[in-house]
């Protein structure tokens, strides 16, 4: 399972991948992902400056033509690294819209990996009373959450 988690189970001919679920226990949640769109932004220019446990910041991008719930991933210095993958963007969009508390950091860095596997981000946070988890789950996007 660790190999599938690290590679996403992706082969060149695959049209699908394995993703980690969002873990929700009581009001706390945990998720991790590899930054999407890495090759289109400034990631390779700053990868040598990133370190494990560096904080990253997010900003909402509701005008994004590909995903109305897109969330931009930025280094602490403001460089755009890419996006939260679409699979998780609906969740984080709602978390951010409802002002829930969360912390996001660089979990792993693989400079020699393919673009979509270079930097892994982990997020821990707390869902507040304004988040309707069922509404988020019922959204048209295919979201999977593990409730404990």
């Amino acid at each position: 399972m660790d190999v599938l988690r690290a590679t996403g189970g992706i082969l060149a001919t695959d049209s699908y991948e394995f993703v980690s679920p969002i873990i929700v226990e009581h009001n706390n949640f945990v998720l991790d992902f590899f930054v999407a769109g890495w090759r289109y932004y400034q990631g390779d220019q700053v990868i040598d400056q990133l370190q494990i446990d560096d904080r990253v910041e997010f900003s909402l991008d509701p005008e994004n033509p590909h995903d109305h719930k897109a969330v931009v991933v930025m280094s602490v210095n403001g460089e755009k690294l890419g996006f939260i993958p679409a699979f998780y963007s609906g969740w984080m969009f709602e978390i951010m819209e409802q002002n829930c508390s969360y912390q996001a950091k660089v979990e792993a860095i693989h400079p020699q990996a393919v673009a979509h596997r270079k930097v892994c981000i982990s997020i821990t946070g707390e869902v507040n009373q304004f988040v309707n988890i069922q509404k988020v789950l019922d959204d048209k996007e295919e979201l999977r959450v593990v409730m404990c």
Side-chain angles (χ1 to χ4, degrees):
M1 287 305 275
D2 288 338
V3 172
L4 286 175
R5 183 167 153 50
T7 65
I10 298 175
L11 299 175
T13 57
D14 286 345
S15 61
Y16 62 91
E17 67 180 296
F18 293 95
V19 294
S20 299
I22 300 167
I23 308 293
V24 179
E25 186 171 0
H26 306 290
N27 287 340
N28 299 306
F29 69 90
V30 177
L31 72 124
D32 60 69
F33 59 87
F34 287 95
V35 176
W38 180 267
R39 67 177 167 231
Y40 301 109
Y41 302 101
Q42 297 144 338
D44 280 338
Q45 297 167 3
V46 299
I47 195 166
D48 292 334
Q49 299 166 23
L50 295 176
Q51 296 194 17
I52 303 296
D53 291 330
D54 276 359
R55 193 169 51 87
V56 294
E57 298 174 354
F58 301 137
S59 66
L60 302 179
D61 186 8
E63 303 302 317
N64 186 301
H66 305 289
D67 181 0
H68 69 282
K69 292 187 175 181
V71 180
V72 177
V73 178
M74 295 173 296
S75 75
V76 73
N77 297 324
E79 292 98 352
K80 184 175 184 178
L81 304 176
F83 288 88
I84 291 179
F87 180 83
Y88 303 110
S89 64
W91 174 264
M92 279 309 297
F93 190 93
E94 186 71 16
I95 292 297
M96 294 172 70
E97 279 281 294
Q98 299 303 330
N99 294 312
C100 296
S101 65
Y102 65 88
Q103 299 80 39
K105 67 179 183 172
V106 175
E107 182 73 23
I109 304 169
H110 307 287
Q112 302 306 316
V114 294
H116 60 277
R117 292 285 186 250
K118 287 194 185 243
V119 174
C120 182
I121 304 297
S122 68
I123 306 171
T124 58
E126 187 174 347
V127 178
N128 65 27
Q129 71 273 16
F130 301 112
V131 175
N132 182 338
I133 294 174
Q134 194 57 50
K135 179 183 173 208
V136 175
L137 293 175
D138 290 341
D139 199 357
K140 65 180 171 59
E141 283 82 16
E142 291 293 320
L143 179 66
R144 299 288 181 258
V145 176
V146 175
M147 304 291 290
C148 299

